[in-house]
Amino acid sequence: GNSVTQMEGPVTLSEEAFLTINCTYTATGYPSLFWYVQYPGEGLQLLLKATKADDKGSNKGFEATYRKETTSFHLEKGSVQVSDSAVYFCALIIQGAQKLVFGQGTRLTINP
Amino acid sequence: GAVVSQHPSWVICKSGTSVKIECRSLDFQATTMFWYRQFPKQSLMLMATSNEGSKATYEQGVEKDKFLINHASLTLSTLTVTSAHPEDSSFYICSATSGRTSYNEQFFGPGTRLTVL
């Protein structure tokens, strides 16, 4: 089946630290990959996406590269800010299908 | 960008009553809407997929008579939690897309927090 596994949280970092949140997937077809962010009390916002192997998605200083050989889509940011504190979800959708499959989410807290 | 709204943003109700949650696409026509449920500190669980003008498709384990979904127009879908009980308390999130393939991005509403007393 299709599934997404994320690095378990919570993750706590100091401001300006380097961030990596690991995400790996299994898919029966050819997936598009996404990172969503959820701020406290809010719905999900698309952070970045990649639709084919070796594509790099980027937004707001975050990056993730679609690695087909390792079935991974790790999220990185070089210098985190307090405002990045949120829950981050990795997700996939099989191209041609409708359903998003989410990972379990990783709660990130950035301390000043 | 595309905007999806939900109403109400939060609701408290007594056990045994029914609650209706609305999901609207404000600036695009949503041929497909999705309803998710999110428990505290957990991921989103897809409840059902709703295509305009047809019956919703429910995920395994979701009671269709308990969670009634109506997608009456291209901009509105409603989720009615019937005879709500405390275990139905949760955060309900909808999303909408303008197409029926994965190439069309899903846009998420801000969520509705339901508390059943």
Side-chain angles (χ1 to χ4, degrees), chain A:
Chain A
N2 303 310
S3 66
V4 176
T5 302
Q6 280 182 241
M7 157 183 190
E8 287 203 20
V11 174
T12 303
L13 296 172
S14 298
E15 206 165 18
E16 299 183 1
F18 184 86
L19 168 71
T20 300
I21 301 178
N22 290 338
C23 171
T24 57
Y25 67 89
T26 59
T28 54
Y30 197 92
S32 295
L33 303 173
F34 306 84
W35 277 100
Y36 285 87
V37 59
Q38 184 180 33
Y39 297 102
E42 299 182 13
L44 272 68
Q45 301 174 27
L46 178 64
L47 181 59
L48 53 85
K49 67 179 181 182
T51 59
K52 62 182 189 295
D54 300 325
D55 266 3
K56 177 185 283 188
S58 61
N59 185 27
K60 299 181 181 181
F62 291 89
E63 292 183 340
T65 301
Y66 188 143
R67 300 286 188 202
K68 189 177 179 183
E69 62 276 13
T70 54
T71 63
S72 65
F73 193 55
H74 304 321
L75 182 68
E76 297 182 337
K77 186 174 184 181
S79 177
V80 292
Q81 306 300 314
V82 173
S83 57
D84 294 326
S85 299
V87 181
Y88 292 81
F89 292 93
C90 186
L92 69 80
I93 192 167
I94 299 299
Q95 293 182 19
Q98 288 187 303
K99 298 179 190 178
L100 273 168
V101 177
F102 286 94
Q104 68 268 41
T106 302
R107 182 173 299 274
L108 173 67
T109 301
I110 307 299
N111 294 321

Side-chain angles (χ1 to χ4, degrees), chain A residues 36 38 41-44 46 49 89 93-100 102-105 107, chain B residues 32 34 36 38 41 43-44 46 49 51 59 91 93 100-103 105-106 108-110:
Chain A
Y36 285 87
Q38 184 180 33
E42 299 182 13
L44 272 68
L46 178 64
K49 67 179 181 182
F89 292 93
I93 192 167
I94 299 299
Q95 293 182 19
Q98 288 187 303
K99 298 179 190 178
L100 273 168
F102 286 94
Q104 68 268 41
R107 182 173 299 274
Chain B
T32 304
F34 304 85
Y36 297 85
Q38 185 180 29
K41 299 184 179 181
S43 189
L44 281 74
L46 179 65
T49 302
N51 290 306
E59 294 299 300
F91 195 51
I93 301 174
R100 294 181 187 244
T101 73
S102 61
Y103 299 98
E105 182 177 337
Q106 286 187 33
F108 285 80

